[in-house]
Every structure is written in structure tokens, then in C-alpha cells.
mmCIF file of all heavy atoms in Angstrom:
data_model
loop_
_atom_site.group_PDB
_atom_site.id
_atom_site.type_symbol
_atom_site.label_atom_id
_atom_site.label_comp_id
_atom_site.label_asym_id
_atom_site.label_seq_id
_atom_site.Cartn_x
_atom_site.Cartn_y
_atom_site.Cartn_z
ATOM 1 N N LYS J 1 1.079 6.250 -23.790
ATOM 2 C CA LYS J 1 0.128 7.168 -23.117
ATOM 3 C C LYS J 1 -0.431 6.534 -21.846
ATOM 4 O O LYS J 1 -0.397 5.313 -21.687
ATOM 5 C CB LYS J 1 -1.059 7.535 -24.058
ATOM 6 C CG LYS J 1 -0.626 8.081 -25.410
ATOM 7 C CD LYS J 1 -1.866 8.393 -26.209
ATOM 8 C CE LYS J 1 -1.508 8.848 -27.645
ATOM 9 N NZ LYS J 1 -0.923 7.781 -28.461
ATOM 10 N N LYS J 2 -0.915 7.413 -20.981
ATOM 11 C CA LYS J 2 -1.588 6.898 -19.763
ATOM 12 C C LYS J 2 -2.872 6.197 -20.166
ATOM 13 O O LYS J 2 -3.562 6.633 -21.105
ATOM 14 C CB LYS J 2 -1.892 8.018 -18.818
ATOM 15 C CG LYS J 2 -0.646 8.668 -18.190
ATOM 16 C CD LYS J 2 -1.032 9.805 -17.247
ATOM 17 C CE LYS J 2 0.173 10.426 -16.587
ATOM 18 N NZ LYS J 2 -0.225 11.479 -15.644
ATOM 19 N N SER J 3 -3.195 5.150 -19.447
ATOM 20 C CA SER J 3 -4.443 4.445 -19.750
ATOM 21 C C SER J 3 -5.649 5.221 -19.235
ATOM 22 O O SER J 3 -5.576 5.939 -18.260
ATOM 23 C CB SER J 3 -4.433 3.057 -19.043
ATOM 24 O OG SER J 3 -3.362 2.262 -19.471
ATOM 25 N N ARG J 4 -6.775 5.126 -19.976
ATOM 26 C CA ARG J 4 -7.985 5.832 -19.595
ATOM 27 C C ARG J 4 -8.656 5.166 -18.399
ATOM 28 O O ARG J 4 -8.517 3.934 -18.208
ATOM 29 C CB ARG J 4 -8.929 5.892 -20.804
ATOM 30 C CG ARG J 4 -8.383 6.671 -21.986
ATOM 31 C CD ARG J 4 -9.416 6.834 -23.054
ATOM 32 N NE ARG J 4 -8.888 7.536 -24.201
ATOM 33 C CZ ARG J 4 -9.601 7.981 -25.243
ATOM 34 N NH1 ARG J 4 -10.895 7.637 -25.291
ATOM 35 N NH2 ARG J 4 -9.077 8.637 -26.232
ATOM 36 N N TRP J 5 -9.378 5.985 -17.693
ATOM 37 C CA TRP J 5 -9.971 5.469 -16.444
ATOM 38 C C TRP J 5 -10.945 4.325 -16.669
ATOM 39 O O TRP J 5 -11.050 3.410 -15.885
ATOM 40 C CB TRP J 5 -10.677 6.577 -15.664
ATOM 41 C CG TRP J 5 -11.914 7.127 -16.349
ATOM 42 C CD1 TRP J 5 -12.046 8.188 -17.159
ATOM 43 C CD2 TRP J 5 -13.229 6.564 -16.212
ATOM 44 N NE1 TRP J 5 -13.334 8.343 -17.586
ATOM 45 C CE2 TRP J 5 -14.103 7.363 -16.987
ATOM 46 C CE3 TRP J 5 -13.779 5.506 -15.494
ATOM 47 C CZ2 TRP J 5 -15.480 7.096 -17.084
ATOM 48 C CZ3 TRP J 5 -15.141 5.231 -15.608
ATOM 49 C CH2 TRP J 5 -15.968 6.030 -16.379
ATOM 50 N N ASN J 6 -11.675 4.374 -17.831
ATOM 51 C CA ASN J 6 -12.651 3.306 -18.082
ATOM 52 C C ASN J 6 -11.990 1.974 -18.374
ATOM 53 O O ASN J 6 -12.458 0.907 -17.975
ATOM 54 C CB ASN J 6 -13.600 3.702 -19.243
ATOM 55 C CG ASN J 6 -12.882 4.178 -20.460
ATOM 56 O OD1 ASN J 6 -11.650 4.272 -20.462
ATOM 57 N ND2 ASN J 6 -13.598 4.514 -21.480
ATOM 58 N N SER J 7 -10.826 1.995 -19.024
ATOM 59 C CA SER J 7 -10.047 0.776 -19.267
ATOM 60 C C SER J 7 -9.528 0.188 -17.932
ATOM 61 O O SER J 7 -9.526 -1.025 -17.706
ATOM 62 C CB SER J 7 -8.908 1.010 -20.228
ATOM 63 O OG SER J 7 -9.370 1.480 -21.473
ATOM 64 N N ILE J 8 -9.054 1.119 -17.083
ATOM 65 C CA ILE J 8 -8.527 0.638 -15.780
ATOM 66 C C ILE J 8 -9.670 0.124 -14.906
ATOM 67 O O ILE J 8 -9.494 -0.923 -14.218
ATOM 68 C CB ILE J 8 -7.813 1.844 -15.065
ATOM 69 C CG1 ILE J 8 -6.606 2.302 -15.923
ATOM 70 C CG2 ILE J 8 -7.340 1.422 -13.676
ATOM 71 C CD1 ILE J 8 -5.916 3.544 -15.319
ATOM 72 N N SER J 9 -10.814 0.784 -14.946
ATOM 73 C CA SER J 9 -11.967 0.343 -14.159
ATOM 74 C C SER J 9 -12.409 -1.078 -14.588
ATOM 75 O O SER J 9 -12.736 -1.932 -13.775
ATOM 76 C CB SER J 9 -13.133 1.307 -14.339
ATOM 77 O OG SER J 9 -14.240 0.868 -13.615
ATOM 78 N N LYS J 10 -12.371 -1.361 -15.869
ATOM 79 C CA LYS J 10 -12.722 -2.663 -16.421
ATOM 80 C C LYS J 10 -11.746 -3.738 -15.902
ATOM 81 O O LYS J 10 -12.155 -4.823 -15.488
ATOM 82 C CB LYS J 10 -12.746 -2.642 -17.918
ATOM 83 C CG LYS J 10 -13.095 -3.984 -18.587
ATOM 84 C CD LYS J 10 -12.997 -3.858 -20.086
ATOM 85 C CE LYS J 10 -13.312 -5.214 -20.711
ATOM 86 N NZ LYS J 10 -13.157 -5.148 -22.220
ATOM 87 N N LEU J 11 -10.470 -3.428 -15.908
ATOM 88 C CA LEU J 11 -9.466 -4.372 -15.429
ATOM 89 C C LEU J 11 -9.636 -4.614 -13.944
ATOM 90 O O LEU J 11 -9.543 -5.777 -13.447
ATOM 91 C CB LEU J 11 -8.047 -3.798 -15.669
ATOM 92 C CG LEU J 11 -6.877 -4.571 -15.139
ATOM 93 C CD1 LEU J 11 -6.800 -5.998 -15.770
ATOM 94 C CD2 LEU J 11 -5.560 -3.827 -15.331
ATOM 95 N N LEU J 12 -9.900 -3.560 -13.155
ATOM 96 C CA LEU J 12 -10.112 -3.700 -11.688
ATOM 97 C C LEU J 12 -11.309 -4.599 -11.384
ATOM 98 O O LEU J 12 -11.296 -5.408 -10.452
ATOM 99 C CB LEU J 12 -10.279 -2.303 -11.060
ATOM 100 C CG LEU J 12 -9.109 -1.375 -11.085
ATOM 101 C CD1 LEU J 12 -9.454 -0.052 -10.405
ATOM 102 C CD2 LEU J 12 -7.867 -1.986 -10.419
ATOM 103 N N ARG J 13 -12.394 -4.450 -12.204
ATOM 104 C CA ARG J 13 -13.582 -5.285 -12.016
ATOM 105 C C ARG J 13 -13.280 -6.758 -12.264
ATOM 106 O O ARG J 13 -13.726 -7.609 -11.524
ATOM 107 C CB ARG J 13 -14.700 -4.783 -12.914
ATOM 108 C CG ARG J 13 -16.023 -5.515 -12.692
ATOM 109 C CD ARG J 13 -17.195 -4.764 -13.351
ATOM 110 N NE ARG J 13 -17.022 -4.588 -14.800
ATOM 111 C CZ ARG J 13 -16.730 -3.399 -15.348
ATOM 112 N NH1 ARG J 13 -16.595 -2.325 -14.628
ATOM 113 N NH2 ARG J 13 -16.589 -3.321 -16.688
ATOM 114 N N GLU J 14 -12.471 -7.014 -13.260
ATOM 115 C CA GLU J 14 -12.097 -8.407 -13.575
ATOM 116 C C GLU J 14 -11.260 -9.018 -12.452
ATOM 117 O O GLU J 14 -11.440 -10.196 -12.048
ATOM 118 C CB GLU J 14 -11.313 -8.456 -14.887
ATOM 119 C CG GLU J 14 -12.154 -8.105 -16.119
ATOM 120 C CD GLU J 14 -11.306 -8.000 -17.385
ATOM 121 O OE1 GLU J 14 -10.085 -8.102 -17.254
ATOM 122 O OE2 GLU J 14 -11.910 -7.774 -18.474
ATOM 123 N N ILE J 15 -10.329 -8.235 -11.916
ATOM 124 C CA ILE J 15 -9.502 -8.707 -10.812
ATOM 125 C C ILE J 15 -10.357 -8.973 -9.556
ATOM 126 O O ILE J 15 -10.158 -9.954 -8.826
ATOM 127 C CB ILE J 15 -8.343 -7.682 -10.514
ATOM 128 C CG1 ILE J 15 -7.384 -7.617 -11.700
ATOM 129 C CG2 ILE J 15 -7.604 -8.043 -9.231
ATOM 130 C CD1 ILE J 15 -6.305 -6.550 -11.553
ATOM 131 N N ALA J 16 -11.258 -8.003 -9.268
ATOM 132 C CA ALA J 16 -12.119 -8.129 -8.089
ATOM 133 C C ALA J 16 -12.957 -9.403 -8.148
ATOM 134 O O ALA J 16 -13.139 -10.126 -7.154
ATOM 135 C CB ALA J 16 -13.015 -6.884 -7.963
ATOM 136 N N ILE J 17 -13.509 -9.711 -9.349
ATOM 137 C CA ILE J 17 -14.296 -10.926 -9.527
ATOM 138 C C ILE J 17 -13.447 -12.181 -9.248
ATOM 139 O O ILE J 17 -13.868 -13.122 -8.533
ATOM 140 C CB ILE J 17 -14.921 -10.986 -10.936
ATOM 141 C CG1 ILE J 17 -15.941 -9.848 -11.074
ATOM 142 C CG2 ILE J 17 -15.542 -12.362 -11.199
ATOM 143 C CD1 ILE J 17 -16.501 -9.695 -12.496
ATOM 144 N N LYS J 18 -12.237 -12.219 -9.812
ATOM 145 C CA LYS J 18 -11.337 -13.368 -9.641
ATOM 146 C C LYS J 18 -10.949 -13.538 -8.169
ATOM 147 O O LYS J 18 -10.722 -14.660 -7.744
ATOM 148 C CB LYS J 18 -10.111 -13.194 -10.530
ATOM 149 C CG LYS J 18 -10.420 -13.333 -12.017
ATOM 150 C CD LYS J 18 -9.167 -13.118 -12.839
ATOM 151 C CE LYS J 18 -9.464 -13.194 -14.353
ATOM 152 N NZ LYS J 18 -8.285 -12.944 -15.203
ATOM 153 N N GLU J 19 -10.802 -12.423 -7.464
ATOM 154 C CA GLU J 19 -10.373 -12.488 -6.047
ATOM 155 C C GLU J 19 -11.558 -12.612 -5.083
ATOM 156 O O GLU J 19 -11.370 -12.751 -3.894
ATOM 157 C CB GLU J 19 -9.548 -11.239 -5.706
ATOM 158 C CG GLU J 19 -8.227 -11.174 -6.376
ATOM 159 C CD GLU J 19 -7.246 -12.262 -5.924
ATOM 160 O OE1 GLU J 19 -7.350 -12.709 -4.729
ATOM 161 O OE2 GLU J 19 -6.404 -12.702 -6.732
ATOM 162 N N GLY J 20 -12.774 -12.581 -5.621
ATOM 163 C CA GLY J 20 -13.964 -12.712 -4.801
ATOM 164 C C GLY J 20 -14.219 -11.515 -3.922
ATOM 165 O O GLY J 20 -14.747 -11.648 -2.813
ATOM 166 N N VAL J 21 -13.851 -10.345 -4.416
ATOM 167 C CA VAL J 21 -14.062 -9.106 -3.670
ATOM 168 C C VAL J 21 -15.360 -8.464 -4.078
ATOM 169 O O VAL J 21 -15.601 -8.221 -5.258
ATOM 170 C CB VAL J 21 -12.871 -8.131 -3.883
ATOM 171 C CG1 VAL J 21 -13.101 -6.857 -3.087
ATOM 172 C CG2 VAL J 21 -11.549 -8.759 -3.491
ATOM 173 N N ASP J 22 -16.220 -8.156 -3.097
ATOM 174 C CA ASP J 22 -17.503 -7.530 -3.390
ATOM 175 C C ASP J 22 -17.249 -6.014 -3.471
ATOM 176 O O ASP J 22 -16.845 -5.346 -2.517
ATOM 177 C CB ASP J 22 -18.482 -7.819 -2.249
ATOM 178 C CG ASP J 22 -19.891 -7.363 -2.575
ATOM 179 O OD1 ASP J 22 -20.105 -6.913 -3.746
ATOM 180 O OD2 ASP J 22 -20.783 -7.441 -1.729
ATOM 181 N N THR J 23 -17.459 -5.457 -4.644
ATOM 182 C CA THR J 23 -17.120 -4.048 -4.864
ATOM 183 C C THR J 23 -18.302 -3.272 -5.467
ATOM 184 O O THR J 23 -19.104 -3.847 -6.284
ATOM 185 C CB THR J 23 -15.913 -3.879 -5.810
ATOM 186 O OG1 THR J 23 -16.219 -4.495 -7.035
ATOM 187 C CG2 THR J 23 -14.683 -4.533 -5.210
ATOM 188 N N ASN J 24 -18.390 -2.006 -5.155
ATOM 189 C CA ASN J 24 -19.359 -1.122 -5.766
ATOM 190 C C ASN J 24 -18.690 -0.579 -7.065
ATOM 191 O O ASN J 24 -17.551 -0.048 -7.008
ATOM 192 C CB ASN J 24 -19.650 0.016 -4.848
ATOM 193 C CG ASN J 24 -20.746 0.953 -5.393
ATOM 194 O OD1 ASN J 24 -20.843 1.124 -6.583
ATOM 195 N ND2 ASN J 24 -21.478 1.520 -4.510
ATOM 196 N N PRO J 25 -19.302 -0.755 -8.220
ATOM 197 C CA PRO J 25 -18.736 -0.297 -9.489
ATOM 198 C C PRO J 25 -18.268 1.190 -9.426
ATOM 199 O O PRO J 25 -17.278 1.549 -10.037
ATOM 200 C CB PRO J 25 -19.848 -0.486 -10.543
ATOM 201 C CG PRO J 25 -20.686 -1.589 -9.936
ATOM 202 C CD PRO J 25 -20.625 -1.402 -8.452
ATOM 203 N N GLN J 26 -19.039 2.020 -8.684
ATOM 204 C CA GLN J 26 -18.671 3.445 -8.579
ATOM 205 C C GLN J 26 -17.358 3.588 -7.793
ATOM 206 O O GLN J 26 -16.548 4.468 -8.120
ATOM 207 C CB GLN J 26 -19.766 4.189 -7.884
ATOM 208 C CG GLN J 26 -19.661 5.705 -7.903
ATOM 209 C CD GLN J 26 -19.632 6.296 -9.307
ATOM 210 O OE1 GLN J 26 -20.240 5.683 -10.194
ATOM 211 N NE2 GLN J 26 -18.946 7.384 -9.513
ATOM 212 N N ALA J 27 -17.138 2.667 -6.843
ATOM 213 C CA ALA J 27 -15.892 2.697 -6.075
ATOM 214 C C ALA J 27 -14.684 2.381 -6.976
ATOM 215 O O ALA J 27 -13.646 3.002 -6.899
ATOM 216 C CB ALA J 27 -15.930 1.730 -4.895
ATOM 217 N N LEU J 28 -14.853 1.408 -7.903
ATOM 218 C CA LEU J 28 -13.792 1.055 -8.824
ATOM 219 C C LEU J 28 -13.506 2.240 -9.762
ATOM 220 O O LEU J 28 -12.352 2.478 -10.144
ATOM 221 C CB LEU J 28 -14.234 -0.179 -9.646
ATOM 222 C CG LEU J 28 -14.367 -1.496 -8.830
ATOM 223 C CD1 LEU J 28 -14.797 -2.635 -9.758
ATOM 224 C CD2 LEU J 28 -13.117 -1.854 -8.073
ATOM 225 N N LYS J 29 -14.582 2.919 -10.170
ATOM 226 C CA LYS J 29 -14.402 4.081 -11.046
ATOM 227 C C LYS J 29 -13.562 5.160 -10.326
ATOM 228 O O LYS J 29 -12.656 5.771 -10.915
ATOM 229 C CB LYS J 29 -15.743 4.665 -11.439
ATOM 230 C CG LYS J 29 -15.635 5.899 -12.291
ATOM 231 C CD LYS J 29 -17.015 6.506 -12.619
ATOM 232 C CE LYS J 29 -16.888 7.797 -13.386
ATOM 233 N NZ LYS J 29 -18.210 8.402 -13.707
ATOM 234 N N GLU J 30 -13.856 5.389 -9.020
ATOM 235 C CA GLU J 30 -13.118 6.387 -8.266
ATOM 236 C C GLU J 30 -11.634 6.024 -8.191
ATOM 237 O O GLU J 30 -10.737 6.886 -8.287
ATOM 238 C CB GLU J 30 -13.699 6.525 -6.868
ATOM 239 C CG GLU J 30 -15.092 7.221 -6.850
ATOM 240 C CD GLU J 30 -14.995 8.636 -7.309
ATOM 241 O OE1 GLU J 30 -14.028 9.336 -6.948
ATOM 242 O OE2 GLU J 30 -15.915 9.091 -8.042
ATOM 243 N N ILE J 31 -11.386 4.768 -7.959
ATOM 244 C CA ILE J 31 -9.959 4.283 -7.886
ATOM 245 C C ILE J 31 -9.268 4.562 -9.210
ATOM 246 O O ILE J 31 -8.128 5.061 -9.280
ATOM 247 C CB ILE J 31 -9.862 2.805 -7.491
ATOM 248 C CG1 ILE J 31 -10.403 2.561 -6.093
ATOM 249 C CG2 ILE J 31 -8.427 2.324 -7.584
ATOM 250 C CD1 ILE J 31 -10.411 1.112 -5.702
ATOM 251 N N ALA J 32 -9.939 4.206 -10.289
ATOM 252 C CA ALA J 32 -9.381 4.365 -11.648
ATOM 253 C C ALA J 32 -9.094 5.856 -11.967
ATOM 254 O O ALA J 32 -8.037 6.193 -12.508
ATOM 255 C CB ALA J 32 -10.307 3.796 -12.700
ATOM 256 N N VAL J 33 -10.037 6.697 -11.624
ATOM 257 C CA VAL J 33 -9.861 8.160 -11.898
ATOM 258 C C VAL J 33 -8.704 8.740 -11.069
ATOM 259 O O VAL J 33 -7.884 9.498 -11.582
ATOM 260 C CB VAL J 33 -11.189 8.884 -11.593
ATOM 261 C CG1 VAL J 33 -10.968 10.416 -11.620
ATOM 262 C CG2 VAL J 33 -12.302 8.513 -12.572
ATOM 263 N N LYS J 34 -8.676 8.360 -9.784
ATOM 264 C CA LYS J 34 -7.631 8.941 -8.912
ATOM 265 C C LYS J 34 -6.255 8.358 -9.188
ATOM 266 O O LYS J 34 -5.250 8.944 -8.729
ATOM 267 C CB LYS J 34 -8.019 8.699 -7.471
ATOM 268 C CG LYS J 34 -9.230 9.530 -6.994
ATOM 269 C CD LYS J 34 -9.457 9.473 -5.503
ATOM 270 C CE LYS J 34 -10.627 10.428 -5.128
ATOM 271 N NZ LYS J 34 -10.777 10.434 -3.659
ATOM 272 N N SER J 35 -6.150 7.248 -9.878
ATOM 273 C CA SER J 35 -4.873 6.656 -10.230
ATOM 274 C C SER J 35 -4.132 7.481 -11.322
ATOM 275 O O SER J 35 -2.952 7.277 -11.549
ATOM 276 C CB SER J 35 -5.005 5.229 -10.650
ATOM 277 O OG SER J 35 -5.681 5.152 -11.932
ATOM 278 N N GLN J 36 -4.919 8.376 -12.011
ATOM 279 C CA GLN J 36 -4.298 9.223 -13.026
ATOM 280 C C GLN J 36 -3.571 8.443 -14.091
ATOM 281 O O GLN J 36 -2.496 8.811 -14.564
ATOM 282 C CB GLN J 36 -3.352 10.229 -12.407
ATOM 283 C CG GLN J 36 -4.013 11.206 -11.461
ATOM 284 C CD GLN J 36 -4.864 12.248 -12.224
ATOM 285 O OE1 GLN J 36 -4.387 12.957 -13.106
ATOM 286 N NE2 GLN J 36 -6.121 12.309 -11.896
ATOM 287 N N GLY J 37 -4.187 7.317 -14.540
ATOM 288 C CA GLY J 37 -3.600 6.544 -15.666
ATOM 289 C C GLY J 37 -2.574 5.555 -15.272
ATOM 290 O O GLY J 37 -2.033 4.842 -16.144
ATOM 291 N N ASP J 38 -2.207 5.455 -13.992
ATOM 292 C CA ASP J 38 -1.195 4.501 -13.545
ATOM 293 C C ASP J 38 -1.884 3.218 -13.189
ATOM 294 O O ASP J 38 -2.524 3.040 -12.114
ATOM 295 C CB ASP J 38 -0.497 5.129 -12.305
ATOM 296 C CG ASP J 38 0.738 4.306 -11.908
ATOM 297 O OD1 ASP J 38 0.758 3.082 -12.163
ATOM 298 O OD2 ASP J 38 1.657 4.857 -11.339
ATOM 299 N N VAL J 39 -1.758 2.189 -14.039
ATOM 300 C CA VAL J 39 -2.431 0.902 -13.818
ATOM 301 C C VAL J 39 -1.901 0.235 -12.584
ATOM 302 O O VAL J 39 -2.655 -0.342 -11.771
ATOM 303 C CB VAL J 39 -2.260 0.016 -15.079
ATOM 304 C CG1 VAL J 39 -2.943 -1.346 -14.842
ATOM 305 C CG2 VAL J 39 -2.838 0.692 -16.301
ATOM 306 N N ARG J 40 -0.606 0.266 -12.414
ATOM 307 C CA ARG J 40 0.013 -0.417 -11.287
ATOM 308 C C ARG J 40 -0.464 0.184 -9.953
ATOM 309 O O ARG J 40 -0.782 -0.552 -9.011
ATOM 310 C CB ARG J 40 1.546 -0.252 -11.381
ATOM 311 C CG ARG J 40 2.338 -0.935 -10.237
ATOM 312 C CD ARG J 40 3.800 -0.939 -10.559
ATOM 313 N NE ARG J 40 4.315 0.414 -10.858
ATOM 314 C CZ ARG J 40 5.382 0.685 -11.553
ATOM 315 N NH1 ARG J 40 6.076 -0.297 -12.125
ATOM 316 N NH2 ARG J 40 5.781 1.950 -11.730
ATOM 317 N N SER J 41 -0.553 1.520 -9.928
ATOM 318 C CA SER J 41 -1.020 2.189 -8.682
ATOM 319 C C SER J 41 -2.462 1.798 -8.420
ATOM 320 O O SER J 41 -2.862 1.574 -7.245
ATOM 321 C CB SER J 41 -0.929 3.704 -8.858
ATOM 322 O OG SER J 41 -1.526 4.396 -7.814
ATOM 323 N N ALA J 42 -3.327 1.684 -9.439
ATOM 324 C CA ALA J 42 -4.735 1.324 -9.279
ATOM 325 C C ALA J 42 -4.896 -0.089 -8.715
ATOM 326 O O ALA J 42 -5.693 -0.291 -7.760
ATOM 327 C CB ALA J 42 -5.478 1.453 -10.606
ATOM 328 N N ILE J 43 -4.099 -1.022 -9.227
ATOM 329 C CA ILE J 43 -4.184 -2.433 -8.749
ATOM 330 C C ILE J 43 -3.696 -2.505 -7.301
ATOM 331 O O ILE J 43 -4.331 -3.167 -6.468
ATOM 332 C CB ILE J 43 -3.387 -3.355 -9.647
ATOM 333 C CG1 ILE J 43 -3.967 -3.349 -11.077
ATOM 334 C CG2 ILE J 43 -3.341 -4.737 -9.084
ATOM 335 C CD1 ILE J 43 -3.131 -4.164 -12.086
ATOM 336 N N ASN J 44 -2.637 -1.808 -6.987
ATOM 337 C CA ASN J 44 -2.083 -1.835 -5.610
ATOM 338 C C ASN J 44 -3.123 -1.220 -4.628
ATOM 339 O O ASN J 44 -3.286 -1.737 -3.500
ATOM 340 C CB ASN J 44 -0.800 -1.081 -5.514
ATOM 341 C CG ASN J 44 0.370 -1.828 -6.136
ATOM 342 O OD1 ASN J 44 0.348 -3.066 -6.192
ATOM 343 N ND2 ASN J 44 1.390 -1.098 -6.582
ATOM 344 N N THR J 45 -3.822 -0.161 -5.083
ATOM 345 C CA THR J 45 -4.840 0.467 -4.186
ATOM 346 C C THR J 45 -5.980 -0.481 -3.958
ATOM 347 O O THR J 45 -6.480 -0.578 -2.843
ATOM 348 C CB THR J 45 -5.337 1.769 -4.873
ATOM 349 O OG1 THR J 45 -4.240 2.666 -5.088
ATOM 350 C CG2 THR J 45 -6.380 2.434 -3.998
#
């Protein structure tokens, strides 16, 4: 199944911290929602 947006958002937050990227949590949520369950697309975005 496609991954849920909240799981993708959590993964994006972990990556952003490791890469030292200052992000707004709401922005990460928007990326996760618009990726439509595609984890690879969310990370690339």
C-alpha cells in the first residue's frame, strides 16, 4: 500500500535534521500530502 502522509512527514523530518535543513513542520506535511504516498517522490522534492 501507499505510505500515509504522517509516516512520510516523520521520515522527512528525520532527514531534514540530519542534513541540517531548517524546515517548517507544516511545509513537510504539505510535501508528504502532495506526494500521494510516494516516499521516493517526497524525498526528492
Side-chain angles (χ1 to χ4, degrees):
K1 304 180 185 69
K2 292 181 179 181
S3 300
R4 297 187 179 186
W5 70 265
N6 50 358
S7 299
I8 297 176
S9 180
K10 180 182 177 183
L11 175 64
L12 295 179
R13 185 166 57 253
E14 293 173 356
I15 294 174
I17 293 172
K18 291 177 181 178
E19 292 294 330
V21 179
D22 189 4
T23 59
N24 184 329
Q26 189 63 28
L28 296 179
K29 177 183 176 181
E30 289 296 319
I31 295 175
V33 170
K34 291 189 176 184
S35 69
Q36 294 289 303
D38 190 332
V39 179
R40 182 170 55 204
S41 173
I43 297 174
N44 287 334
T45 301

